[in-house]
Amino acid sequence: MNSKIIFMPHANIQYSQLSPQRRHWVMKNCYEKLFDLVASDDYKIAFEASGITIEEMAKQAPEVLAKLKALVAEGKIEPVSSPYIHFMLSNIPKEVCVHSLKHSLDVWEQYVGERPKIGWNPECSWASYIPDVYKEAGLEALVMDADSLMLSFDEIRRATGLSFDVQGHSNKNHLFKIEEYIKDKPDFLKYITNPSVASNGLKMIFRSDCMANLLLWYLMGATEGMRAEPINMGEIQAMFSKWKDRIAQTGSFIMPYAEDAEYIGSSAYFYVKQFNQARFFEAEPDSVTRFKEILDAAKAAGYEFTTPSEVLENGSLLENEYVDNIENGVAWHGGTAKAWANTEYSRIMDPVCLSVLNGINAVAGKLGQTMDTLDDDLNGAMMALASAWVSDSRWPPKPTSPGRFNVRESLDDLYKANDCVAKAMKHNGIAEKRALYSPNLMKTQIKAIDDLLMDMPYFGE
């Protein structure tokens, strides 16, 4: 059996510090360049995007979306969906997650012509209800973070010395320690080289920074501060070779790149994340060439390009009872979702978001509506509220920060959500039932945090 390999760049047009004026540039210089590359040879990949990313492509760069649609129809790209809005699912109420996921699937089907079966969890934020959320939304499988799974084993935590902290950004450049520990341990390796199934029946495919981080640094042509020279192709080839041996012993595939699509064509968030430098989405045309070199190296090593669905169709599923051991509040890169919830932006905005959600639920309950039967006004309120909860208006923490415009968009969304609830109350003849929800009072609450947040200094200004 040939060793299989899955590449899954994922796209988020709401990226922190990606200004609205720069989003079209990213569509043309990252997404389109990736689609052209896939079309140029016998490559096959998965491509993930939030619903709003697909919708914005349709509005701003329909010619780019047309290329994606053609590649999906041809079977060269499998579509993978996340929520409509890029947010940390483990930090927000379940009903917001499910509502956003369902809408995202509708958007993919409307604009690309296919309803994704595979889901992606932004930043791989974790809580016990995540598998249920994706299954309820109608997805068959979820791309998971193997490092979070591995660090749920006490012996791996002890052996690597890695720990979690709600104020920690990530352990990304230290996750090679996981690979060092599990490299000769099939009982751990098998979860990276085989698909799993959770107790609720949701299927799972695991990605790991053990491979992805090496490829990212190769794409950027950068050093890690401890190297005289950037990562070279020989190191990439060696990585593919050793994982091919592990596949032969333990499974059928690897997923070495489930990372940001924006790193293919731009520097994206690299210099902010790694060096606290105010450098965002600079042109990196060589990274497109390097991604092609990575694909070609995989092919030369004897791997067969595949997709998540093909792996699930052709591979045996491992019963994975350890999914429930993944720590509540963690995220990918050895970091935590709770770090997003502990920035000053989250601490200011999240309680107001929750108050608006409580109002939506109260008004919907009074009207006998559920999340699946909301009228246009309350559905509009939910859409705007979900957008206000976008993770990228809450990240990163000091000494860096989101862009002022990221926070401004969330505040504008809160005003919009509040207005929609007011309209729902008026249109349904219950405007006087202010014990349910007071739009006028809530507007002053939003204005109070608006003033507070807009008076803050922002990184890069």
Side-chain angles (χ1 to χ4, degrees):
M1 180 184 295
N2 290 339
S3 298
K4 312 282 187 177
I5 194 163
I6 303 171
F7 290 91
M8 193 192 82
H10 49 81
N12 167 28
I13 208 64
Q14 294 176 298
Y15 232 118
S16 178
Q17 292 288 0
L18 175 56
S19 68
Q21 296 77 19
R22 191 72 165 162
R23 289 169 180 169
H24 179 264
W25 182 91
V26 165
M27 294 173 194
K28 297 294 290 183
N29 288 272
C30 299
Y31 308 157
E32 185 171 32
K33 296 291 175 60
L34 172 63
F35 300 153
D36 287 343
L37 173 58
V38 173
S40 71
D41 208 327
D42 61 346
Y43 307 125
K44 181 189 291 186
I45 68 168
F47 178 77
E48 184 277 325
S50 62
I52 195 171
T53 300
I54 295 296
E55 203 164 70
E56 286 301 308
M57 260 197 280
K59 294 175 183 176
Q60 298 189 40
E63 72 283 4
V64 178
L65 183 68
K67 292 182 178 182
L68 172 60
K69 185 175 181 178
L71 288 165
V72 168
E74 193 178 342
K76 289 175 67 66
I77 287 183
E78 174 166 23
V80 178
S81 183
S82 59
Y84 178 77
I85 296 296
H86 187 277
F87 45 46
M88 303 296 284
L89 277 78
S90 66
N91 290 347
I92 62 176
K94 289 170 62 176
E95 65 263 41
V96 181
C97 302
V98 174
H99 186 270
S100 189
L101 272 167
K102 287 180 176 178
H103 181 60
S104 192
L105 292 171
D106 291 341
V107 168
W108 267 96
E109 190 168 25
Q110 176 185 352
Y111 290 105
V112 183
E114 186 170 319
R115 197 172 186 86
K117 301 174 185 176
I118 312 295
W120 168 250
N121 175 7
E123 319 296 340
C124 298
S125 65
W126 192 254
S128 62
Y129 57 78
I130 297 296
D132 294 332
V133 163
Y134 278 83
K135 190 169 184 185
E136 184 178 345
L139 288 150
E140 297 178 11
L142 178 62
V143 176
M144 296 280 291
D145 180 53
D147 306 317
S148 296
L149 177 70
M150 295 300 150
L151 289 172
S152 71
F153 292 94
D154 289 339
E155 65 181 280
I156 296 179
R157 190 85 69 88
R158 288 194 301 269
T160 60
L162 297 175
S163 61
F164 293 120
D165 185 319
V166 300
Q167 295 184 4
H169 191 154
S170 77
N171 288 301
K172 187 171 187 175
N173 292 332
H174 303 284
L175 293 179
F176 67 88
K177 295 177 182 178
I178 295 175
E179 183 180 5
E180 284 298 308
Y181 184 73
I182 69 172
K183 63 184 179 183
D184 57 354
K185 296 177 175 63
D187 285 345
F188 293 128
L189 288 170
K190 67 182 181 182
Y191 291 107
I192 300 178
T193 61
N194 292 280
S196 299
V197 60
S199 58
N200 73 340
L202 186 74
K203 300 169 186 176
M204 297 178 164
I205 290 173
F206 286 85
R207 53 81 63 201
S208 171
D209 275 333
C210 293
M211 293 170 271
N213 202 36
L214 186 76
L215 299 184
L216 173 58
W217 282 91
Y218 182 72
L219 286 176
M220 293 295 98
T223 65
E224 297 189 36
M226 297 179 289
R227 298 171 57 101
E229 299 291 335
I231 289 168
N232 59 58
M233 178 47 65
E235 293 172 85
I236 303 298
Q237 291 167 333
M239 183 267 282
F240 282 143
S241 177
K242 65 185 177 184
W243 277 98
K244 194 175 182 196
D245 291 341
R246 292 166 185 168
I247 291 171
Q249 297 170 18
T250 64
S252 62
F253 77 96
I254 53 170
M255 181 181 246
Y257 193 88
E259 260 284 3
D260 300 351
E262 293 81 9
Y263 285 126
I264 303 167
S266 89
S267 64
Y269 212 52
F270 185 79
Y271 293 100
V272 191
K273 185 177 291 185
Q274 299 293 342
F275 308 114
N276 288 333
Q277 296 179 8
R279 298 172 58 185
F280 323 113
F281 298 91
E282 297 174 352
E284 285 283 353
D286 288 347
S287 65
V288 180
T289 303
R290 292 191 191 106
F291 192 68
K292 182 182 187 324
E293 291 169 355
I294 289 169
L295 296 177
D296 289 340
K299 184 164 56 172
Y303 285 92
E304 179 183 331
F305 297 119
T306 191
T307 65
S309 286
E310 289 175 344
V311 161
L312 294 170
E313 289 167 5
N314 300 320
S316 57
L317 293 171
L318 297 177
E319 297 284 341
N320 194 337
E321 72 266 31
Y322 299 111
V323 170
D324 288 341
N325 295 357
I326 299 174
E327 196 161 347
N328 184 301
V330 302
W332 69 344
H333 304 332
T336 68
K338 290 189 182 297
W340 269 261
N342 277 282
T343 65
E344 55 189 328
Y345 317 99
S346 294
R347 288 173 173 172
I348 292 168
M349 286 189 283
D350 286 0
V352 182
C353 288
L354 190 58
S355 292
V356 175
L357 177 63
N358 289 339
I360 294 171
N361 283 329
V363 173
K366 179 70 173 179
L367 299 174
Q369 298 177 18
T370 69
M371 282 293 152
D372 289 325
T373 62
L374 294 177
D375 62 28
D376 288 345
D377 292 324
L378 287 180
N379 191 62
M382 277 297 295
M383 293 288 293
L385 176 61
S387 189
W389 244 311
V390 65
S391 67
D392 294 85
S393 67
R394 290 155 169 78
W395 191 260
K398 291 180 178 179
T400 50
S401 78
R404 180 181 295 273
F405 65 87
N406 293 112
V407 177
R408 179 73 261 159
E409 286 183 336
S410 281
L411 290 167
D412 291 343
D413 286 330
L414 276 172
Y415 284 118
K416 182 178 179 181
N418 186 57
D419 288 344
C420 285
V421 180
K423 289 176 183 176
M425 295 176 73
K426 179 181 178 181
H427 292 163
N428 287 283
I430 59 169
E432 76 282 0
K433 307 293 186 186
R434 288 187 290 274
L436 290 171
Y437 184 78
S438 174
N440 291 339
L441 195 56
M442 183 52 64
K443 188 173 183 179
T444 69
Q445 175 69 71
I446 299 169
K447 180 63 166 61
I449 68 167
D450 188 333
D451 292 342
L452 180 61
L453 288 164
M454 288 297 102
D455 281 344
M456 289 181 178
Y458 287 84
F459 182 63
E461 289 185 341

